[in-house]
Amino acid sequence: FAEQHLAGALTEISEMERTVILSDPLTSSLIASHTKHDVLFTHYIQYELRSHKEIAERYCLTQLPLNSTLRKPEEEHVLVYGAAYDALYNPTEKERVRSQELLLVERTCSAMDKDPRTPLKAYGAQYILWDKKRNPQWTLSRLDRPLTLVAEGEGWSLWSL
């Protein structure tokens, strides 16, 4: 029940027309599984036919509201390459591939930090659902876009871009 505080948010967004919602990876998974809305990244994106670059971009969009020093992609079990690790049996090779994956994410996120407007527009993000309970360190001004508060409840807020 770690997401119980988001029940009101799910009710709120369920009443909206189908749209694209940006949130953190865990909240995005909740949105994808309980609503009709599209999200930019979940840990299941690896099963979609997308390039590694696009998956990294989508992941980095979920990290834009965080200061770069607070991001922890190395703690994500599933990041860009996902199930590809299952085919690697050599620990040295797994380590090499993971380093390559983390470098891709680091470079992609760094580029987005310099120009957050372009990827937000390119991926069609229309709303942001901020899980304030799980992500109190988010800073929405990092998105460099005017935002309008649509609704909020205990531990969450919904913003339109």
Side-chain angles (χ1 to χ4, degrees):
F1 295 97
E3 291 89 12
Q4 187 63 39
H5 66 285
L6 295 173
L10 290 178
T11 300
E12 186 72 35
I13 65 176
S14 291
E15 296 172 5
M16 298 171 14
E17 293 290 321
R18 186 174 178 180
T19 190
V20 179
I21 301 174
L22 170 64
S23 196
D24 64 274
L26 291 175
T27 305
S28 293
S29 291
L30 184 71
I31 294 167
S33 66
H34 288 81
T35 75
K36 62 189 171 209
H37 300 293
D38 296 319
V39 294
L40 298 173
F41 179 88
T42 73
H43 294 107
Y44 299 101
I45 197 169
Q46 63 175 314
Y47 298 110
E48 295 180 12
L49 186 57
R50 299 183 187 274
S51 70
H52 292 149
K53 181 180 184 296
E54 180 180 344
I55 294 171
E57 289 172 346
R58 287 172 169 272
Y59 172 77
C60 289
L61 281 165
T62 72
Q63 304 301 296
L64 273 176
L66 278 174
N67 184 295
S68 61
T69 60
L70 298 173
R71 295 178 188 152
K72 306 277 188 251
E74 66 279 358
E75 293 179 7
E76 297 281 354
H77 178 67
V78 175
L79 197 54
V80 175
Y81 297 161
Y85 288 104
D86 295 340
L88 301 173
Y89 298 104
N90 180 323
T92 305
E93 183 64 7
K94 280 186 179 185
E95 189 175 309
R96 184 192 67 77
V97 170
R98 181 63 170 179
S99 294
Q100 181 182 7
E101 176 183 53
L102 290 171
L103 183 61
L104 171 64
V105 168
E106 180 185 323
R107 287 179 176 164
T108 302
C109 290
S110 179
M112 282 190 181
D113 286 338
K114 294 173 186 155
D115 177 25
R117 288 176 173 242
T118 300
L120 284 167
K121 184 177 179 181
Y123 285 100
Q126 296 168 308
Y127 291 89
I128 298 164
L129 179 57
W130 178 11
D131 181 345
K132 294 179 178 184
K133 184 176 177 182
R134 198 171 12 222
N135 298 294
Q137 67 280 39
W138 267 29
T139 306
L140 296 183
S141 62
R142 290 182 50 78
L143 301 176
D144 193 31
R145 295 277 307 263
L147 303 173
T148 304
L149 181 64
V150 174
E152 70 181 321
E154 189 175 333
W156 62 271
S157 61
L158 179 66
W159 301 81
S160 67
L161 290 161

PDB file of all heavy atoms in Angstrom, residues 11-24:
ATOM      1  N   THR A  11      -8.018   8.874  -9.224  1.00  0.00           N
ATOM      2  CA  THR A  11      -9.405   9.280  -9.466  1.00  0.00           C
ATOM      3  C   THR A  11      -9.436  10.533 -10.337  1.00  0.00           C
ATOM      4  O   THR A  11     -10.204  10.617 -11.299  1.00  0.00           O
ATOM      5  CB  THR A  11     -10.129   9.533  -8.130  1.00  0.00           C
ATOM      6  OG1 THR A  11     -10.116   8.325  -7.365  1.00  0.00           O
ATOM      7  CG2 THR A  11     -11.556   9.991  -8.349  1.00  0.00           C
ATOM      8  N   GLU A  12      -8.600  11.487 -10.005  1.00  0.00           N
ATOM      9  CA  GLU A  12      -8.544  12.749 -10.751  1.00  0.00           C
ATOM     10  C   GLU A  12      -8.161  12.521 -12.213  1.00  0.00           C
ATOM     11  O   GLU A  12      -8.822  13.026 -13.122  1.00  0.00           O
ATOM     12  CB  GLU A  12      -7.527  13.688 -10.087  1.00  0.00           C
ATOM     13  CG  GLU A  12      -7.468  15.060 -10.674  1.00  0.00           C
ATOM     14  CD  GLU A  12      -8.666  15.931 -10.368  1.00  0.00           C
ATOM     15  OE1 GLU A  12      -9.233  15.821  -9.272  1.00  0.00           O
ATOM     16  OE2 GLU A  12      -9.045  16.719 -11.253  1.00  0.00           O
ATOM     17  N   ILE A  13      -7.111  11.772 -12.456  1.00  0.00           N
ATOM     18  CA  ILE A  13      -6.665  11.601 -13.839  1.00  0.00           C
ATOM     19  C   ILE A  13      -7.554  10.640 -14.622  1.00  0.00           C
ATOM     20  O   ILE A  13      -7.616  10.715 -15.845  1.00  0.00           O
ATOM     21  CB  ILE A  13      -5.170  11.198 -13.944  1.00  0.00           C
ATOM     22  CG1 ILE A  13      -4.920   9.832 -13.331  1.00  0.00           C
ATOM     23  CG2 ILE A  13      -4.290  12.259 -13.325  1.00  0.00           C
ATOM     24  CD1 ILE A  13      -3.488   9.356 -13.504  1.00  0.00           C
ATOM     25  N   SER A  14      -8.268   9.770 -13.931  1.00  0.00           N
ATOM     26  CA  SER A  14      -9.182   8.862 -14.625  1.00  0.00           C
ATOM     27  C   SER A  14     -10.321   9.608 -15.294  1.00  0.00           C
ATOM     28  O   SER A  14     -10.905   9.133 -16.268  1.00  0.00           O
ATOM     29  CB  SER A  14      -9.737   7.820 -13.656  1.00  0.00           C
ATOM     30  OG  SER A  14      -8.710   6.948 -13.262  1.00  0.00           O
ATOM     31  N   GLU A  15     -10.631  10.793 -14.797  1.00  0.00           N
ATOM     32  CA  GLU A  15     -11.713  11.606 -15.358  1.00  0.00           C
ATOM     33  C   GLU A  15     -11.252  12.432 -16.552  1.00  0.00           C
ATOM     34  O   GLU A  15     -12.075  13.028 -17.239  1.00  0.00           O
ATOM     35  CB  GLU A  15     -12.289  12.504 -14.264  1.00  0.00           C
ATOM     36  CG  GLU A  15     -12.942  11.712 -13.147  1.00  0.00           C
ATOM     37  CD  GLU A  15     -13.355  12.568 -11.961  1.00  0.00           C
ATOM     38  OE1 GLU A  15     -13.222  13.810 -12.033  1.00  0.00           O
ATOM     39  OE2 GLU A  15     -13.816  11.978 -10.969  1.00  0.00           O
ATOM     40  N   MET A  16      -9.961  12.468 -16.815  1.00  0.00           N
ATOM     41  CA  MET A  16      -9.420  13.256 -17.920  1.00  0.00           C
ATOM     42  C   MET A  16      -9.448  12.455 -19.215  1.00  0.00           C
ATOM     43  O   MET A  16      -9.456  11.223 -19.199  1.00  0.00           O
ATOM     44  CB  MET A  16      -7.964  13.663 -17.611  1.00  0.00           C
ATOM     45  CG  MET A  16      -7.825  14.540 -16.398  1.00  0.00           C
ATOM     46  SD  MET A  16      -6.126  14.868 -15.798  1.00  0.00           S
ATOM     47  CE  MET A  16      -5.039  14.385 -17.071  1.00  0.00           C
ATOM     48  N   GLU A  17      -9.433  13.178 -20.344  1.00  0.00           N
ATOM     49  CA  GLU A  17      -9.263  12.536 -21.647  1.00  0.00           C
ATOM     50  C   GLU A  17      -7.890  11.876 -21.673  1.00  0.00           C
ATOM     51  O   GLU A  17      -6.976  12.302 -20.981  1.00  0.00           O
ATOM     52  CB  GLU A  17      -9.354  13.575 -22.770  1.00  0.00           C
ATOM     53  CG  GLU A  17     -10.719  14.204 -22.929  1.00  0.00           C
ATOM     54  CD  GLU A  17     -11.747  13.236 -23.484  1.00  0.00           C
ATOM     55  OE1 GLU A  17     -11.395  12.440 -24.381  1.00  0.00           O
ATOM     56  OE2 GLU A  17     -12.896  13.264 -23.004  1.00  0.00           O
ATOM     57  N   ARG A  18      -7.744  10.855 -22.510  1.00  0.00           N
ATOM     58  CA  ARG A  18      -6.460  10.161 -22.611  1.00  0.00           C
ATOM     59  C   ARG A  18      -5.351  11.148 -22.964  1.00  0.00           C
ATOM     60  O   ARG A  18      -5.496  11.967 -23.874  1.00  0.00           O
ATOM     61  CB  ARG A  18      -6.534   9.060 -23.657  1.00  0.00           C
ATOM     62  CG  ARG A  18      -5.291   8.221 -23.694  1.00  0.00           C
ATOM     63  CD  ARG A  18      -5.426   7.068 -24.628  1.00  0.00           C
ATOM     64  NE  ARG A  18      -4.180   6.309 -24.671  1.00  0.00           N
ATOM     65  CZ  ARG A  18      -4.006   5.240 -25.408  1.00  0.00           C
ATOM     66  NH1 ARG A  18      -4.985   4.786 -26.155  1.00  0.00           N
ATOM     67  NH2 ARG A  18      -2.862   4.621 -25.387  1.00  0.00           N
ATOM     68  N   THR A  19      -4.238  11.044 -22.244  1.00  0.00           N
ATOM     69  CA  THR A  19      -3.153  12.002 -22.387  1.00  0.00           C
ATOM     70  C   THR A  19      -1.826  11.346 -22.040  1.00  0.00           C
ATOM     71  O   THR A  19      -1.784  10.165 -21.690  1.00  0.00           O
ATOM     72  CB  THR A  19      -3.432  13.236 -21.488  1.00  0.00           C
ATOM     73  OG1 THR A  19      -2.502  14.249 -21.792  1.00  0.00           O
ATOM     74  CG2 THR A  19      -3.358  12.888 -20.018  1.00  0.00           C
ATOM     75  N   VAL A  20      -0.754  12.106 -22.112  1.00  0.00           N
ATOM     76  CA  VAL A  20       0.582  11.634 -21.749  1.00  0.00           C
ATOM     77  C   VAL A  20       0.983  12.308 -20.439  1.00  0.00           C
ATOM     78  O   VAL A  20       0.993  13.536 -20.351  1.00  0.00           O
ATOM     79  CB  VAL A  20       1.627  11.950 -22.840  1.00  0.00           C
ATOM     80  CG1 VAL A  20       3.013  11.467 -22.419  1.00  0.00           C
ATOM     81  CG2 VAL A  20       1.220  11.316 -24.163  1.00  0.00           C
ATOM     82  N   ILE A  21       1.313  11.484 -19.454  1.00  0.00           N
ATOM     83  CA  ILE A  21       1.639  11.984 -18.121  1.00  0.00           C
ATOM     84  C   ILE A  21       3.073  11.624 -17.776  1.00  0.00           C
ATOM     85  O   ILE A  21       3.480  10.468 -17.878  1.00  0.00           O
ATOM     86  CB  ILE A  21       0.675  11.402 -17.059  1.00  0.00           C
ATOM     87  CG1 ILE A  21      -0.760  11.790 -17.403  1.00  0.00           C
ATOM     88  CG2 ILE A  21       1.062  11.885 -15.659  1.00  0.00           C
ATOM     89  CD1 ILE A  21      -1.810  11.160 -16.507  1.00  0.00           C
ATOM     90  N   LEU A  22       3.820  12.634 -17.357  1.00  0.00           N
ATOM     91  CA  LEU A  22       5.192  12.434 -16.894  1.00  0.00           C
ATOM     92  C   LEU A  22       5.172  12.275 -15.380  1.00  0.00           C
ATOM     93  O   LEU A  22       4.540  13.047 -14.678  1.00  0.00           O
ATOM     94  CB  LEU A  22       6.050  13.643 -17.269  1.00  0.00           C
ATOM     95  CG  LEU A  22       7.461  13.704 -16.659  1.00  0.00           C
ATOM     96  CD1 LEU A  22       8.315  12.558 -17.158  1.00  0.00           C
ATOM     97  CD2 LEU A  22       8.106  15.038 -16.970  1.00  0.00           C
ATOM     98  N   SER A  23       5.859  11.258 -14.904  1.00  0.00           N
ATOM     99  CA  SER A  23       6.016  11.050 -13.467  1.00  0.00           C
ATOM    100  C   SER A  23       7.295  10.246 -13.259  1.00  0.00           C
ATOM    101  O   SER A  23       8.001   9.931 -14.208  1.00  0.00           O
ATOM    102  CB  SER A  23       4.799  10.310 -12.893  1.00  0.00           C
ATOM    103  OG  SER A  23       4.769  10.431 -11.490  1.00  0.00           O
ATOM    104  N   ASP A  24       7.585   9.924 -12.012  1.00  0.00           N
ATOM    105  CA  ASP A  24       8.743   9.070 -11.730  1.00  0.00           C
ATOM    106  C   ASP A  24       8.436   7.649 -12.205  1.00  0.00           C
ATOM    107  O   ASP A  24       7.275   7.317 -12.454  1.00  0.00           O
ATOM    108  CB  ASP A  24       9.064   9.102 -10.226  1.00  0.00           C
ATOM    109  CG  ASP A  24       7.934   8.506  -9.408  1.00  0.00           C
ATOM    110  OD1 ASP A  24       6.993   9.259  -9.077  1.00  0.00           O
ATOM    111  OD2 ASP A  24       7.966   7.295  -9.127  1.00  0.00           O
TER     112      ASP A  24
END
